[in-house]
Amino acid sequence: MLSDSMAHALNSHLNTEHFSAELYLSMSSAAGVMGFKGAATWFMVQHQEEMAHFMKFYGYLSSQGVLVKLVAADIPNSYASLLEMFEKTLTHEQHITKAINHLMDHAVKESDHASQIFLQWFISEQIEEEENDRDIIGKLKLIGDNGYGLLMLDNDLGRRVFVPQPAAI
Ligand code: OFO
């Protein structure tokens, strides 16, 4: 059984994961409009991953008998470059990492072992998320305005595929 404050904190984060999904769908559209079809695919896969994260929270809260409350958000969709998109992605993911860590602190404080087990997967996931973003930002900085380099990277980003994750804990 979840405490009211834990249920509230998890529900609030569920909405943040949903925001992430919409943010990356919007970035997919922006990358496509800029002509980066590979990056559009990369962000589309990121969108799918975030929807899977959102559904993990939804599934966990539902299994604990919590009525989920969804909140609509305004999604930014204006970017000057691919580099800006990935820098904003990394900043957003660092924010998510902090939020997951706070949720874990909350669960530890309450001796809520079920939530700690649930959140453990997200702690590991955030390491990978931030590492991927840092790698791409590093490459984009090396490439600069070199068209051939951007084409090669875009090709590479387009190879990303969505791997479905188990919905439950
Ligand atoms: Fe769900 O990890 Fe990104 O936001």
Side-chain angles (χ1 to χ4, degrees):
M1 184 194 140
L2 292 178
S3 70
D4 285 350
S5 74
M6 195 71 220
H8 179 79
L10 290 167
N11 191 121
S12 166
H13 191 80
L14 165 145
N15 279 290
T16 309
E17 295 289 344
H18 199 241
F19 174 88
S20 303
E22 293 185 324
L23 177 68
Y24 297 135
L25 186 59
S26 161
M27 286 186 180
S28 176
S29 172
V33 167
M34 286 179 192
F36 294 116
K37 300 293 181 200
T41 299
W42 193 95
F43 280 112
M44 183 60 76
V45 172
Q46 189 65 25
H47 158 75
Q48 291 172 296
E49 283 204 358
E50 299 300 349
M51 283 305 291
H53 298 173
F54 162 71
M55 288 307 297
K56 276 179 185 278
F57 274 85
Y58 181 90
Y60 181 62
L61 286 169
S62 299
S63 71
Q64 295 272 13
V66 176
L67 175 63
V68 166
K69 180 167 172 53
L70 293 169
V71 177
D74 227 1
I75 310 297
N77 75 340
S78 170
Y79 304 97
S81 66
L82 209 50
L83 179 59
E84 184 193 346
M85 269 189 258
F86 278 102
E87 283 178 335
K88 287 199 163 151
T89 296
L90 177 59
T91 302
H92 181 66
E93 288 307 323
Q94 287 168 335
H95 163 74
I96 297 291
T97 300
K98 278 189 192 140
I100 296 282
N101 286 340
H102 283 141
L103 286 173
M104 181 60 100
D105 290 345
H106 193 148
V108 167
K109 200 167 149 207
E110 292 193 3
S111 301
D112 178 348
H113 298 283
S115 294
Q116 289 175 48
I117 292 167
F118 170 70
L119 290 165
Q120 189 60 55
W121 184 90
F122 286 91
I123 302 255
S124 309
E125 172 72 3
Q126 283 311 117
I127 296 170
E128 192 189 312
E129 295 250 358
E130 289 188 27
E131 184 185 14
N132 289 341
D133 299 337
R134 272 197 309 273
D135 282 354
I136 296 167
I137 289 168
K139 284 178 188 161
L140 280 167
K141 284 186 173 168
L142 273 177
I143 291 167
D145 287 334
N146 182 293
Y148 181 70
L150 284 170
L151 271 177
M152 295 287 287
L153 178 63
D154 192 51
N155 252 340
D156 207 31
L157 293 174
R159 280 199 273 271
R160 187 180 186 193
V161 289
F162 176 63
V163 180
Q165 303 150 4
I169 299 173

